[in-house]
Amino acid sequence: MTVHLEVAEGVGTLRLDRPPMNALDIATQDRLKELAEEATRREDVRAVVIHGGEKVFAAGADIKEMQAMDHAAMVARARALQDSFTAVARIPKPVVAAVTGYALGGGCELALCADYRIAGENAKLGQPEILLGLIPGAGGTQRLSRLIGPSKAKDLIFTGRQVRADEALTLGLVDRVVPAAEVYEQAHAWAAKLAQGPAIALRAAKEAIDAGLETDIDTGLTVERNWFAGLFATEDRERGMRSFVEEGPGKAKFV
């Protein structure tokens, strides 16, 4: 298998395993969707890390496979390509991308599906599809522009240039830069901490933010209000407030 789901301490690691560059061929895309949906369903997975290994996150699509496809073949495939990445973006739990080495094209688009991105000092990110006479097709034109703004996204997509970790941090493309050897450890620690939190409230926060970004503020406030009120029916809310009153802030145990 080219993608594995490994679970420990409430954290599910979606690990790409297609040496040497983790090229995202059709089989890998389909496997990614399958395991993202499994991570969504499993109660023992409370947060997720996406990782490509110590040397490379994912260098992009399998260009040889794509070269053999004509227009009709890609029309038939393009929706499934997007759906595989959307399955990751819609995991209703905290998701962090642990980015080492290249995260280009589809690799960058996969990182964009996470809620938070930790990059190694050796990371290089970009959307080089324009150099192939294409545009990003797995969400890059949409998620990148929402994350860093349209003008910065257009610069990266129009030029196809790669950015190193420090520039990616300045752009807001990644959220933290650490030594390459520490990327997975720090990503796992981020996920493990949240895995101990209130699962339903974390889901609510993620869905309210993501839904709000896709609509007007009044509709977004309605989504927030409904989730906020609904959480008063949960055991985690009772536990959190009781702990606050009896022991002070930040001491509630949710697992």
Side-chain angles (χ1 to χ4, degrees):
M1 294 294 184
T2 56
V3 188
H4 308 278
L5 176 60
E6 305 160 356
V7 182
E9 301 176 2
V11 177
T13 298
L14 284 171
R15 190 181 301 275
L16 302 174
D17 185 18
R18 190 168 184 249
M21 301 300 287
N22 289 333
L24 299 166
D25 65 346
I26 289 174
T28 302
Q29 296 163 23
D30 291 345
R31 180 65 173 162
L32 183 65
K33 181 176 185 290
E34 176 186 340
L35 291 181
E37 291 172 345
E38 180 180 336
T40 293
R41 293 191 304 268
R42 286 180 58 166
E43 293 185 2
D44 61 332
V45 176
R46 296 172 65 93
V48 174
V49 177
I50 310 171
H51 188 43
E54 296 178 359
K55 295 183 178 180
V56 62
F57 185 72
D62 188 320
I63 303 303
K64 290 183 178 179
E65 183 181 66
M66 289 178 62
Q67 185 182 21
M69 301 175 73
D70 60 13
H71 173 253
M74 187 50 76
V75 167
R77 178 64 199 173
R79 181 59 181 266
L81 165 64
Q82 290 187 343
D83 286 350
S84 65
F85 285 68
T86 297
V88 176
R90 291 185 178 170
I91 295 172
K93 304 165 185 181
V95 178
V96 55
V99 180
T100 52
Y102 291 110
L104 302 175
C108 186
E109 289 171 302
L110 180 57
L112 291 171
C113 293
D115 302 305
Y116 195 77
R117 282 154 290 278
I118 298 176
E121 293 171 340
N122 66 339
K124 292 184 179 180
L125 300 92
Q127 299 287 169
E129 290 87 350
I130 203 76
L131 305 178
L132 301 173
L134 296 171
I135 66 170
T141 64
Q142 302 305 302
R143 294 191 178 97
L144 184 61
S145 57
R146 284 166 169 77
L147 181 66
I148 67 174
S151 62
K152 294 176 183 176
K154 286 174 182 176
D155 171 48
L156 295 185
I157 292 171
F158 289 178
T159 65
R161 70 186 182 90
Q162 300 175 20
V163 297
R164 296 182 181 274
D166 55 350
E167 184 179 359
L169 183 64
T170 299
L171 290 170
L173 180 51
V174 301
D175 302 289
R176 192 190 310 173
V177 176
V178 302
E182 299 177 14
V183 170
Y184 180 73
E185 177 185 354
Q186 293 208 27
H188 192 278
W190 184 91
K193 181 177 181 180
L194 293 177
Q196 299 299 310
I200 300 177
L202 285 165
R203 174 175 185 159
K206 179 168 180 170
E207 293 195 5
I209 293 168
D210 289 351
L213 288 172
E214 305 302 321
T215 189
D216 61 275
I217 190 167
D218 288 338
T219 302
L221 287 169
T222 298
V223 173
E224 178 185 89
R225 181 171 66 250
N226 289 339
W227 266 117
F228 176 72
L231 289 168
F232 275 74
T234 66
E235 182 180 339
D236 280 344
R237 192 279 306 181
E238 294 178 7
R239 183 181 292 113
M241 287 192 165
R242 183 172 60 250
S243 174
F244 182 94
V245 171
E246 296 176 358
E247 304 175 70
K251 297 181 180 179
K253 306 293 185 183
F254 296 104
V255 179

